[in-house]
Amino acid sequence: MSISTIPPSTANSCAIIVTYNPDSDFFERLQLICKQFNFVVIVDNGSEQDFQMQLQQYCQKTTSTTLKRILNPANKGIAKALNQGIELANTYKFLWIITFDQDTLIYPELLPELITIYDQLTLKPVIIGCNYFHAALNRPAIIPQEQQKYVERKTLITSGTLIWSKLPELIGDFREDYFIDSVDHEYSLRVRRHGYPLWMSTQVLMRHSIGTSTTFHRPALFKIPEHSPLRKYYITRNCLTTVFSYFSQEPLWGSKQIARLSVEFLTIVLFESSKIQKIAAMGLGVLHALTGKMGELQHHAWIRESHDR
C-alpha cells in the first residue's frame, strides 16, 4: 500500500474525541475543534446521563460541523474508543484522522501548522504530533523553535496526533488490552518498528493536561503529575509491558521509562497521599506485566474505588 501524497485539510480530516464524564468547560473546547474540522466523531465511554443529554442537545444545535456520536454503555478504555472512532471515520472515507482527549484545548493554528509541516517533509509522513503546553507542569512539552518547525520523536501522545487513515491497516489497531495508559507510546513504537518516522511540531499548538495538578510542593526533580491508585496500576503495568516488548528496539527509551517509574514510586513514598494503596497498585501492575495479565482490571475494589478518567 503506497503512502498518501494528499495533504491533510479541513475537508479530508476527521477529528475524534474520546469522552468520559468531562468537566463543564468541555463544550467550549469542542467548539474550538469544530471551528477547524468539518467532521467530528465523539466516542463517549459511558459518561453519566446528564452529559449524554447535553451532548445530544449540542449536536442537534450545531449546523456548521457534522457531529457523530458513539455511545458506549460502559467505559471500554481509550484504545477501544479510538478504534471505534477510526472505524467510523473510515466508513466516511476520510484520508486523515486526528485524535483528541476531552481536556485538550486547541489553538487556531493547529491544523494549518500540521499542513505546513506535511508540505515541508520530503518523505510524506503517516503520523504527525503537536507540541503542547503541559498544564500540570506549567511549561511546553518541548521548547519551541522558530528556525525548525518540526522534530523527530520516538513517541507521541494520543491527543493532537494526526494519523493517515490507512495506517491501522498496515500496523494494526490500538491495543485494546491496555485499556488506558501507554496506548499512545506502544502505538508510536510500533509505527517506528514498521519503518515510519514520527514528527512533532515545535510550535505549541494546544493546551493539554496529563494527570491531575497537585498541591504538594515538590522539588523540581519530582514534579510529575499525581494519579489515583487505579491509574498507578495501569501506568505501571502498561509501561513495563511496552518496555518488555520494545526494549531491543529502543533500549534507551526503555531505560528512561524504568527510571521514570522508579521516580514515581519514590514520589509516592515522599509526597503523595494514599501511599499504601498506590504502592500496592504499582506492585500489582508489576506482577501483571511479568505474568502478561492485561485488559481492564477486575475484582480489585480497593484500587478501583477512584480513578481519573
Side-chain angles (χ1 to χ4, degrees):
M1 182 184 298
S2 59
I3 304 301
S4 174
T5 57
I6 301 176
S9 67
T10 299
N12 67 18
S13 300
C14 170
I16 298 173
I17 311 168
V18 178
T19 57
Y20 177 70
N21 293 324
D23 62 32
S24 58
D25 294 329
F26 169 75
F27 291 101
E28 294 181 17
R29 296 190 294 269
L30 175 58
Q31 186 176 12
L32 295 175
I33 292 174
C34 290
K35 286 182 178 180
Q36 291 192 48
F37 298 92
N38 294 335
F39 198 101
V40 177
V41 176
I42 300 172
V43 186
D44 184 72
N45 255 336
S47 293
E48 295 177 357
Q49 194 65 33
D50 286 348
F51 170 72
Q52 293 192 12
M53 291 179 61
Q54 293 176 41
L55 180 60
Q56 180 180 3
Q57 293 171 359
Y58 186 92
C59 292
Q60 291 173 344
K61 293 178 181 178
T62 301
T63 56
S64 59
T65 299
T66 300
L67 284 167
K68 296 291 183 180
R69 293 175 296 152
I70 299 175
L71 303 178
N72 291 324
N75 192 342
K76 301 295 184 180
I78 184 70
K80 174 69 174 180
L82 289 171
N83 290 335
Q84 289 177 299
I86 291 172
E87 182 179 4
L88 180 60
N90 275 321
T91 64
Y92 286 91
K93 310 299 183 184
F94 284 100
L95 293 177
W96 294 94
I97 295 158
I98 187 164
T99 55
F100 292 110
D101 287 353
Q102 64 184 19
D103 52 8
T104 300
L105 185 151
I106 71 170
Y107 299 161
E109 59 272 19
L110 183 143
L111 184 57
E113 185 68 15
L114 293 180
I115 295 172
T116 299
I117 292 172
Y118 179 91
D119 289 338
Q120 289 185 355
L121 288 165
T122 303
L123 296 176
K124 294 308 176 188
V126 296
I127 187 168
I128 308 173
C130 291
N131 191 13
Y132 58 94
F133 184 83
H134 197 312
L137 299 184
N138 197 35
R139 61 169 174 77
I142 62 173
I143 302 302
Q145 303 176 36
E146 293 185 5
Q147 303 300 322
Q148 190 174 7
K149 286 187 171 293
Y150 53 86
V151 291
E152 189 171 356
R153 301 284 286 179
K154 289 190 176 181
T155 63
L156 299 169
I157 65 169
T158 302
S159 195
T161 294
L162 183 72
I163 304 170
W164 180 44
S165 63
K166 300 301 181 184
L167 183 58
E169 295 181 22
L170 295 178
I171 72 169
D173 296 331
F174 288 96
R175 280 190 59 169
E176 296 181 10
D177 61 344
Y178 272 43
F179 192 73
I180 190 173
D181 284 306
S182 292
V183 171
D184 43 12
H185 294 304
E186 190 282 328
Y187 199 77
S188 295
L189 296 177
R190 201 177 344 143
V191 170
R192 286 169 53 81
R193 177 173 285 178
H194 282 76
Y196 304 112
L198 277 65
W199 302 103
M200 179 178 179
S201 71
T202 57
Q203 182 179 347
V204 175
L205 301 178
M206 61 187 191
R207 182 182 177 90
H208 180 68
S209 298
I210 298 177
T212 57
S213 59
T214 176
T215 57
F216 294 113
H217 299 287
R218 303 171 177 169
L221 176 63
F222 303 114
K223 192 176 182 182
I224 60 176
E226 183 177 1
H227 296 283
S228 68
L230 182 61
R231 285 293 298 277
K232 297 289 189 186
Y233 164 80
Y234 284 122
I235 288 169
T236 303
R237 185 197 69 181
N238 294 351
C239 178
L240 289 177
T241 298
T242 306
V243 169
F244 297 158
S245 299
Y246 293 93
F247 194 83
S248 61
Q249 171 187 325
E250 303 286 356
L252 180 58
W253 181 88
S255 298
K256 288 181 178 179
Q257 298 311 301
I258 293 174
R260 184 179 62 82
L261 283 179
S262 300
V263 170
E264 186 148 352
F265 176 82
L266 184 59
T267 303
I268 293 172
V269 173
L270 295 177
F271 302 107
E272 296 191 11
S273 59
S274 305
K275 298 180 190 298
I276 295 176
Q277 275 189 305
K278 292 176 180 178
I279 292 171
M282 289 189 74
L284 187 63
V286 172
L287 176 63
H288 286 178
L290 291 172
T291 58
K293 182 175 176 58
M294 302 297 288
E296 183 180 5
L297 181 67
Q298 302 287 348
H299 312 304
H300 289 81
W302 58 275
I303 294 179
R304 294 184 54 81
E305 63 185 20
S306 64
H307 52 83
D308 298 309
R309 294 177 188 271

